[in-house]
Amino acid sequence: PTFAEKSTIPSETSDPSMTPSISSIPTVSQESSFFPSTLTALTIQKRGRQLLQVDPLLQFDPFQVDVYERIMQNYTASFGHMVGEPFIMTICNVTEQQFVSNGVTSQLLLSFNMRYESRFGYNVANYTRLFQSYINDNLDEVTISMQEHFLTNVVEAGRVQMFFTRSPTFSPIVSSSPTFAEKSTIPSETSDPSMTPSISSIPTVSQESSFFPSTLTALTIQKRGRQLLQVDPLLQFDPFQVDVYERIMQNYTASFGHMVGEPFIMTICNVTEQQFVSNGVTSQLLLSFNM
């Protein structure tokens, strides 16, 4: 496509248009696209469990369960690629909570399902093994992360065990109050796990003894940015490529932030303008965006 060349990157003199200039983008043929021509989906789900030393010895309430699940989901960004919609989605679902004993101390045993859903041909077949390895190699980090994100009763996070072959779960020993029946070992797996979390039997935590802040505050930060890209052929991004670029920028938040993802920290990148600029020798694509 022809375009008007500029000698320098245009200076910022006014707020950029909030409407992406996508209508002027040339159509890209299927042959020249760098995305797969067919969209394939792959879903991997495995059962797992983790022992937690907690003080006081209480099961997680629904909010804490949600926090635990999101912490587990966020670790995918530490070993995976293109994590987040629409590429690779992670879903952790706590299915059961039990108190177990090793003969000396009692601990909280969480059972959960980890599901990885992939689009566009990304392979997630080994993600459950990578998840297990990452958690077990970074138990100190995992413990601190839980303590810093509302799971303050976690004293120590134990190793994660994923079940890679067909094997059932253990029999429950959960009671309807903070009292519990102790067992000398972690129960063995004898039947398929219940897919419904046993949250209804969790004792109620009073407001005074709650570990959570009494008020929930929201903070929103937005800044304009731009990036020069050397592209060949010299074409603007089509709508799908714009969406991919925005999601790549959003996903980098997990590389420096904590508790990234709803409902804690959400990142939105919005491309507002595409321009061709020249440095006198070569022309490049300048993307303007809001973060």
Side-chain angles (χ1 to χ4, degrees), residues 24 29 34 37 98 162 184 186 204 239 280 289 291:
S24 62
S29 66
F34 53 80
S37 58
Q98 303 173 344
M162 302 300 294
S184 59
I186 298 176
T204 302
F289 55 87
M291 288 295 293

Side-chain angles (χ1 to χ4, degrees), residues 115-278:
R115 185 165 79 249
Y116 298 94
E117 298 178 358
S118 168
R119 296 288 188 275
F120 308 108
Y122 291 102
N123 187 4
V124 294
N126 65 337
Y127 270 39
T128 50
R129 291 186 183 275
L130 293 174
F131 167 76
Q132 176 181 271
S133 298
Y134 183 86
I135 296 295
N136 294 342
D137 290 343
N138 297 275
L139 290 177
D140 289 342
E141 173 192 330
V142 173
T143 299
I144 293 173
S145 179
M146 291 182 180
Q147 294 170 345
E148 289 180 346
H149 299 104
F150 306 118
L151 303 182
T152 53
N153 60 329
V154 175
V155 178
E156 183 178 358
R159 294 174 65 84
V160 162
Q161 180 182 7
M162 302 300 294
F163 299 101
F164 300 106
T165 59
R166 184 171 181 173
S167 54
T169 57
F170 24 91
S171 54
I173 57 171
V174 176
S175 66
S176 58
S177 66
T179 60
F180 53 90
E182 294 194 354
K183 291 192 175 182
S184 59
T185 58
I186 298 176
S188 61
E189 298 227 330
T190 57
S191 62
D192 285 338
S194 167
M195 295 302 292
T196 305
S198 55
I199 304 304
S200 58
S201 62
I202 295 176
T204 302
V205 181
S206 66
Q207 179 66 29
E208 290 73 20
S209 62
S210 174
F211 306 113
F212 316 116
S214 57
T215 58
L216 301 179
T217 58
L219 174 64
T220 300
I221 300 295
Q222 177 171 300
K223 299 290 184 182
R224 296 192 305 274
R226 57 188 182 182
Q227 183 179 26
L228 271 175
L229 301 176
Q230 185 174 345
V231 293
D232 186 15
L234 191 60
L235 298 173
Q236 289 185 335
F237 286 173
D238 64 29
F240 182 75
Q241 290 173 300
V242 168
D243 182 72
V244 170
Y245 176 87
E246 292 171 342
R247 292 180 184 277
I248 289 174
M249 295 296 105
Q250 292 167 184
N251 286 342
Y252 280 124
T253 307
S255 300
F256 56 81
H258 301 282
M259 294 303 292
V260 177
E262 291 186 28
F264 303 105
I265 297 177
M266 290 146 284
T267 307
I268 300 173
C269 176
N270 178 35
V271 172
T272 57
E273 192 174 16
Q274 303 186 69
Q275 300 172 274
F276 293 119
V277 297
S278 174

Side-chain angles (χ1 to χ4, degrees), residues 63-74:
F63 180 78
Q64 290 174 300
V65 168
D66 183 71
V67 170
Y68 176 87
E69 292 171 341
R70 293 181 183 279
I71 289 175
M72 295 297 103
Q73 291 168 184
N74 285 343

Side-chain angles (χ1 to χ4, degrees), residues 50-54 57-58 97-102 104-110 156-158 173 180 182 186:
Q50 184 178 29
L51 272 174
L52 301 176
Q53 184 178 342
V54 293
L57 189 61
L58 296 173
Q97 302 186 69
Q98 303 173 344
F99 292 119
V100 298
S101 173
N102 59 7
V104 180
T105 61
S106 296
Q107 296 175 295
L108 178 61
L109 177 65
L110 293 184
E156 183 178 358
I173 57 171
F180 53 90
E182 294 194 354
I186 298 176

